[in-house]
């Protein structure tokens, strides 16, 4: 049973008590955990009440919200069975066709929006860079800095203001919340129209401002928002009520479409259709099946076709100032890759460094996010000021650091490509005289996409100096740590790729006597290793980089590097997305239960909770109303008495269905079971799918309170049940694998004097820290394991 009760609690609202005795002010105070001796940086962001009866709170955007679970399980009550039986073959085919049509629309719109975002970023950044470089060449250095910083400041202000005022949940990448949603957690206000609009405009402004962030994470969120809006016909009061949308008015189909949207976003970011599907499978999706695999692949294939069309249109620089609209990152299909025994040492070092640096990056970023939470809780002005301060730091570092390295004379081997005369290239003059180039300006005075192309470029072993690469790596590490967490849409992919590619080239330069592979390919391996060390992805990352490089010969060595990096990283801490999920307090169920959970049974877990509130098949209206008002449980077991002295479990009825029965005034003057046709005439599938409204909104007279309501047509007669002797570890695996919201516990022995139901377990009851709060003695076993 879940206590999933409240509307969102916004920062700045009057303080009030919550169900578990936590005030709003306490809930947003990361230091309020009851242990004043510990630093606030070591405490959770929210004050957790580690019991099995507490309402679950989590940080969603700028608000502290009560978290509900999603109903992925099919509710097999009499009305559902009748609705399913009466569906004609035409309706079934229509439903199948609409699912594929939705997958196509998700891919089409994601591809179009991603292309437009790329073009906008390329042109805004290109115009900014060209004018700034022109001022530098005229030796108007202060004017160049003020212009560069001013444009960045304005773009950051727009992105931050949109997030702070209109859609706080649009800040950040959105991937942790998508992971939680697909795990069964209803993250409020994450996939609406305001989030989509702010994410698009905010991503353009934030990336164009030169902040050390990428558009890849936001594209995943944009794809998820499009999927949700298409399946629901909009959001809020402006939803379309088209008849065919009734097929998708459930959590299961919405989950599948959001999975398609997430994979389409990754595909749009890297032009990697297979990588997008595998990213959804490996990183974000909890529940998977073959039919979903085909639809996600169909969505990503649609995205690739759209991107390919934009690439053809944008050839010869007709769209973007930095090449072909930012739609091609790296292509080395014509580079021959040959392996030698001497390459094993530097490649292994790249993998180990990727794991160590990725784990260190996660650890430091974790601390930075805690500090940012202390700042952000002070209000909107503090969030805006933090974003603008980071923008000022970024502008200063990007503009000033290229002056710190000497100019490099052009090597005759580079031919006419050096120095770069066009808008994009590897040999930018910046402040250098004719015939020279500034290698650090080539990396810093470009969009992240163009910088990636430059540092990945092959046949340029002597292009970048060692000190320039070290400065570039240090600058991007510092800016990456300080940028992620401010109130703008941001992604982690491209900053980590740039950091990894820098240390990959550094490794190639330092170990040049052993390195036989091209230095540009070492940059690719470094980027892949650091991503694996931080995000702990392997299979999907291999395929993404394979599709990026367009070179199958890189596959074995990339797999080797990723396996090393992930193994090393796992020895230190979890992935960055797992850290963010825990930081926000989202109740995410991991695939692998804790080892100490095998020493606890579900019966013992149920005994630590209050007694389950059960209803009879035909129950008084007053009893139903009292149960709804006294608890915030989402499901209630329904008991039947086939004969005197015998009680058996009839099933489980949802809270929303009870509210629907009360709203429709489906009351009986006497205690009796209704006929099947009576329920069909009273309820429609659309009414039962509606989760809006509560019992407090209903006005029920005293006479109606004494009447009865028949619950058997509304009761799910096939809920998932387990025996009380099952271990909690096994229950966690079952709960997650089948995507449950409720798990009923049955007694091992049946009898006239024994209740047919021991209790109910929900997601909150299976979270490790809640169990340890109820069973402190297990903490010692946890440390042992």
């Amino acid at each position: 049973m879940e206590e999933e009760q409240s509307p969102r609690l916004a920062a700045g609202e009057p303080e009030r008590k919550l169900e578990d005795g936590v005030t709003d002010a306490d809930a947003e105070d990361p230091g309020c955990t009851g242990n004043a001796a510990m630093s606030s940086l070591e405490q959770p962001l929210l004050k957790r009440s580690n019991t099995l009866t507490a309402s679950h709170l989590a940080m969603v955007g700028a608000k502290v919200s009560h978290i509900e679970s999603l109903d992925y399980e099919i509710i097999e009550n009499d009305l559902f069975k009748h609705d399913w039986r009466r569906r004609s073959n035409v309706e079934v085919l229509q439903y199948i066709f609409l699912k594929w049509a939705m997958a196509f629309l998700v891919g089409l719109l994601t591809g179009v929006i991603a292309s437009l975002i790329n073009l906008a970023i390329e042109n805004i950044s290109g115009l900014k860079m060209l004018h700034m470089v022109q001022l530098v060449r005229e030796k108007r250095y202060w004017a160049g800095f003020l212009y560069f910083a001013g444009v960045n400041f304005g773009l950051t202000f727009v992105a931050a203001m949109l997030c702070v005022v209109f859609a706080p949940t649009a800040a950040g990448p959105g991937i942790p919340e998508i992971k939680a949603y697909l795990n069964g957690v209803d993250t409020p206000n994450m996939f609406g129209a305001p989030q989509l609009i702010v994410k698009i405009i905010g991503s353009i402004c934030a990336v164009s401002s030169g902040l050390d962030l990428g558009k890849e994470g936001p594209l995943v969120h944009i794809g998820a928002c499009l999927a949700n809006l298409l399946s629901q016909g909009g959001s809020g009061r402006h939803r379309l009520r088209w008849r065919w949308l009734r097929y998708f008015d459930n959590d299961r189909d919405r989950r599948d479409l959001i999975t398609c949207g997430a994979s389409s976003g990754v595909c749009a970011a890297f032009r990697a259709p297979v990588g997008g599907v595998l990213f959804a499978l490996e990183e974000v999706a909890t529940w998977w099946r073959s039919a979903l695999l085909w639809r996600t692949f169909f969505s990503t294939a649609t995205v690739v076709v759209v991107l390919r069309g934009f690439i053809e249109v944008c050839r010869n620089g007709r769209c973007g100032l930095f090449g072909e609209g930012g739609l091609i990152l790296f292509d080395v299909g014509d580079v021959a890759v040959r392996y030698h025994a001497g390459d094993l040492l530097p490649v292994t070092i790249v993998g180990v460094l990727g794991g160590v640096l990725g784990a260190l990056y996660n650890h430091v970023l974790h601390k930075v996010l805690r500090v940012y939470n202390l700042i952000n809780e002070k209000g909107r002005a503090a969030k805006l000021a933090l974003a603008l301060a980071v923008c000022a730091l970024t502008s200063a570092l990007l503009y000033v650091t290229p002056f710190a390295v000497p100019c490099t004379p052009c090597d005759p081997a580079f031919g006419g490509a050096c120095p770069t005369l066009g808008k994009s290239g590897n040999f930018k003059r910046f402040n250098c005289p004719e015939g020279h180039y500034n290698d650090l300006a080539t990396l810093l005075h470009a969009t992240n996409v163009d910088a990636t192309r430059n540092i990945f470029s092959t046949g340029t072993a002597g292009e970048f100096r060692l000190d320039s690469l070290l400065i570039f790596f240090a600058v991007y590490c510092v800016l990456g740590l300080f940028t992620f967490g401010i109130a703008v849409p941001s992604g982690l992919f491209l900053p980590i790729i740039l950091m990894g590619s820098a240390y990959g080239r550094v490794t190639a330069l330092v170990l040049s006597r052993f390195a036989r592979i091209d230095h540009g390919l070492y940059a690719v391996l470094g980027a892949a290793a650091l991503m694996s060390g931080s995000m702990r992805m392997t299979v999907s990352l291999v395929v993404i980089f394979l599709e990026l490089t367009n070179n199958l010969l890189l596959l074995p060595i990339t797999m080797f590097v990723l396996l090393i990096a992930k193994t090393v990283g796992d020895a230190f801490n979890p992935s960055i997305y797992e850290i963010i999920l825990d930081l926000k307090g989202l109740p995410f169920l991991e695939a692998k239960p804790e080892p100490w959970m095998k020493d606890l049974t579900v019966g013992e877990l149920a005994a630590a909770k209050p007694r389950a509130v059960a209803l009879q098949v035909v129950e008084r209206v007053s009893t139903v109303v009292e149960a709804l008002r006294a608890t915030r449980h989402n499901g209630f077991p329904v008991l039947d008495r086939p004969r005197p002295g015998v009680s058996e479990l009839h099933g489980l009825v949802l809270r929303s269905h009870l509210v629907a029965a009360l709203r429709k005034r489906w009351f009986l003057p006497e205690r009796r079971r209704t006929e099947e046709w009576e329920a069909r005439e009273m309820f429609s599938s659309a009414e039962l799918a509606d989760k809006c409204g509560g019992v407090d909104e209903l006005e029920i007279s005293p006479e109606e309170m004494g009447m009865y309501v028949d619950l058997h047509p509304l009761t799910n007669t096939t809920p998932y049940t387990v025996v009380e002797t099952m271990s909690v570890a096994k229950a966690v695996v079952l709960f997650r694998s089948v995507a449950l919201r409720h798990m009923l516990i049955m007694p091992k022995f049946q009898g006239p004097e024994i209740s047919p139901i021991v209790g109910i377990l929900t997601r909150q009851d299976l979270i490790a820290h809640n169990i340890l709060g109820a069973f402190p003695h297990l903490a010692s076993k946890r440390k042992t394991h």
Side-chain angles (χ1 to χ4, degrees), residues 516-529:
R516 306 278 186 90
I517 302 175
D518 190 278
H519 286 207
L521 300 183
Y522 269 102
V524 176
L525 296 177

Side-chain angles (χ1 to χ4, degrees), residues 25-35 40 43-48:
D26 291 338
E28 295 187 14
D29 185 359
C32 294
T33 56
N35 188 351
S40 61
Q43 302 295 336
L45 294 186
L46 298 177
K47 179 180 178 180
R48 287 172 174 168

Side-chain angles (χ1 to χ4, degrees), residues 352-364 496 503 529-536 565 569 572-574 576 579:
V352 173
L353 282 176
V356 173
L357 293 176
L360 181 61
Y361 185 82
N362 291 356
H363 176 76
V364 178
I496 292 178
Y503 94 77
L530 191 59
M531 283 190 71
S532 181
S534 176
M535 300 180 180
R536 310 296 154 77
F572 293 99
N573 52 30
I576 185 60
I579 290 174

